[in-house]
Amino acid sequence: MQTSRLIWRWAVRPLEGYSVVELGMWVAAPAAATMLADWGADVVKVEAPTGDPNRYTLKHVGQDIDSAPPFETDNRGKRGIVLDLRSQEGKDVLERLLARADVFVTNLRPGALERLGLSPDELRGRHPRLVVGTLTGYGWTGAERDRAGYDVSAFWARPGIAAMLNPAGEPPPGIRPGLGDRTAAANLVAGVLAALLRRERTGEGGVVDVSLLRSGTYANGNDLALQNFFGKRGRTRHRTEHESPLYNSYRAADDRWFWLVGLEGNRHWPGVVKALGREDLETDERFATGKARRGHVRELIAVFDEEFAKRPLDEWAERFDAEGVWWAPVQTLAEVAADPQAEAVGAFVEQPGMGDAPPLRTVATPVAFWGVDEKPRGGAPTLGEHTDEVLRELN
């Protein structure tokens, strides 16, 4: 199979020939448009004269640094133009861009789009073949549709994810930025592609409506399904009393953490005890069956903690693999960046720097197309870099 991927290396990217206009800022909509750009679409990013605020993301938190790697990651391969949409001239140029586009991607709030004459209904009336992809915090309906929504608020906090990460009564944990944004971005891309596929059959565009709130409730589907069925939340437990000791985190002698992934307890139990060198546990009446282990989770986790603290992780890795134990290391970001398997699956790419900046090694989009060159075609545009070029195309 590897050979066939090499033979067809220079196949056409799947979205070659499609045109996308992005009116977005921060992460969610720009990340979606970057996927489309990586996959071959010609993406024109429209910014206000002040620029996408994500250009200055490090300055927002008090750092005196001009570079913005997150912005470059979520805006590579696009052509960037500046339009003042408060002016009629700016609106006219955007209208001409949309007239020739296949897709419009935006994460402006509903009220802002309506004030600009860019609501989905208005756009569809003027451009019936256009696929309009909107990514909002709280959707287009309901009393809170114009509430500001970032991923921490609309994806993590509001849909109940943050409340489930720690045991009940504990404060919610710190949330890393952009995780919910990129999840919603992938949802938007999936919807846009489905709408384009339908347009191929019907000739009509459509509206793709993705919100951080609905993306978050979908991501939290397991726990919400239990809540809806039983009328109460599942229990999030401390690791020392986790209901499945074979599906829990542990620390090795070198202070490196790892996760056992023995979800099917009876199936994975023999391999774990063999790797531990503790076959005696199989006949211990407290642990001999899945039901017995469930009644003695604290005792079993304490045994595991004591045993795993005797050897460094590399030794446990050899033992686990020899016995077919399912596990994974809890890696630091530095370890992820140097992970040979992450490199093998194409998780990282090197893209040209923005302007005169040096090349940037960053994350790839999450989908690989066999036989297609995945190298980014360009870096992120400097503010207004392609304004003249695009205006010439529009005469």
Side-chain angles (χ1 to χ4, degrees), residues 317-335:
E318 292 181 9
R319 285 172 167 257
F320 291 157
D321 291 345
E323 300 298 340
V325 174
W326 295 3
W327 72 284
V330 177
Q331 297 200 128
T332 65
L333 294 184
E335 289 169 333

Side-chain angles (χ1 to χ4, degrees), residues 269-321:
W269 172 246
V272 171
V273 296
K274 287 180 182 177
L276 281 172
R278 291 292 308 272
E279 288 87 343
D280 59 295
L281 296 175
E282 290 193 272
T283 57
D284 189 316
E285 63 180 14
R286 297 173 300 169
F287 314 133
T289 67
K291 184 176 181 180
R293 289 192 294 274
R294 184 177 177 85
H296 297 87
V297 293
R298 290 188 178 185
E299 296 98 315
L300 183 55
I301 292 171
V303 171
F304 282 176
D305 280 341
E306 182 179 356
E307 294 295 331
F308 288 136
K310 294 178 180 179
R311 300 175 187 271
L313 183 57
D314 287 347
E315 290 188 26
W316 286 122
E318 292 181 9
R319 285 172 167 257
F320 291 157
D321 291 345

Side-chain angles (χ1 to χ4, degrees), residues 7 42 45 66 104 143 154 157 170 175 207 209 224 251 322 383:
I7 290 175
D42 175 26
K45 180 181 179 70
D66 289 328
F104 176 54
E170 290 193 3
I175 301 296
V207 180
D209 177 2
L224 284 170
R251 183 163 55 185
L383 183 59

Side-chain angles (χ1 to χ4, degrees), residues 16 52 75 105 109 117 129 141 162 179 212 232 240 303 308 359:
E16 202 80 46
D52 182 338
N75 289 280
V105 171
R109 283 183 260 177
R129 284 182 53 81
T141 55
L179 298 176
L212 289 167
K232 59 182 180 180
T240 55
V303 171
F308 288 136

Side-chain angles (χ1 to χ4, degrees), residues 34-293:
T34 293
M35 288 191 205
L36 300 175
D38 274 3
W39 300 351
D42 175 26
V43 178
V44 174
K45 180 181 179 70
V46 177
E47 296 180 74
T50 53
D52 182 338
N54 200 27
R55 288 184 179 274
Y56 321 110
T57 183
L58 297 179
K59 290 188 174 182
H60 293 314
V61 292
Q63 298 188 44
D64 189 19
I65 299 175
D66 289 328
S67 62
F71 174 84
E72 293 190 56
T73 295
D74 292 323
N75 289 280
R76 62 173 174 256
K78 303 174 185 177
R79 296 193 289 167
I81 70 171
V82 166
L83 294 179
D84 185 354
L85 296 182
R86 296 171 300 181
S87 71
Q88 189 59 47
E89 181 183 16
K91 292 178 181 179
D92 289 343
V93 172
L94 178 60
E95 194 67 17
R96 295 178 69 184
L97 284 171
L98 294 173
R100 71 176 191 177
D102 296 291
V103 179
F104 176 54
V105 171
T106 183
N107 60 346
L108 269 65
R109 283 183 260 177
L113 290 172
E114 289 169 344
R115 289 190 293 274
L116 290 169
L118 297 174
S119 72
D121 286 340
E122 292 173 286
L123 287 173
R124 291 279 293 115
R126 299 195 299 268
H127 310 290
R129 284 182 53 81
L130 185 66
V131 172
V132 179
T134 74
L135 207 164
T136 60
Y138 297 98
W140 276 84
T141 55
E144 298 182 58
R145 68 176 203 148
D146 280 312
R147 181 182 293 276
Y150 292 86
D151 73 335
V152 169
S153 56
F155 182 92
W156 289 104
R158 194 68 178 268
I161 298 175
M164 295 300 297
L165 296 179
N166 279 346
E170 290 193 3
I175 301 296
R176 303 307 303 164
L179 298 176
D181 284 325
R182 289 186 174 82
T183 300
N187 295 342
L188 183 63
V189 169
V192 164
L193 297 181
L196 286 173
L197 183 62
R198 184 181 65 179
R199 193 186 72 174
E200 294 297 317
R201 298 194 303 268
T202 67
E204 294 186 4
V207 180
V208 180
D209 177 2
V210 173
S211 68
L212 289 167
L213 177 60
R214 185 162 168 176
S215 294
T217 57
Y218 179 75
N220 202 20
N222 276 17
D223 283 312
L224 284 170
L226 294 173
Q227 173 69 42
N228 287 335
F229 189 82
F230 293 107
K232 59 182 180 180
R233 62 164 274 172
R235 184 180 174 193
T236 305
R237 304 167 187 261
H238 287 285
R239 60 164 299 280
T240 55
E241 54 183 39
H242 195 281
E243 62 184 345
S244 179
L246 297 178
Y247 197 70
N248 200 13
S249 59
Y250 296 95
R251 183 163 55 185
D254 53 359
D255 284 333
R256 296 176 66 192
W257 286 85
F258 62 92
W259 223 285
L260 288 183
V261 199
L263 185 59
E264 302 172 64
N266 290 333
R267 174 185 175 186
H268 295 112
W269 172 246
V272 171
V273 296
K274 287 180 182 177
L276 281 172
R278 291 292 308 272
E279 288 87 343
D280 59 295
L281 296 175
E282 290 193 272
T283 57
D284 189 316
E285 63 180 14
R286 297 173 300 169
F287 314 133
T289 67
K291 184 176 181 180
R293 289 192 294 274

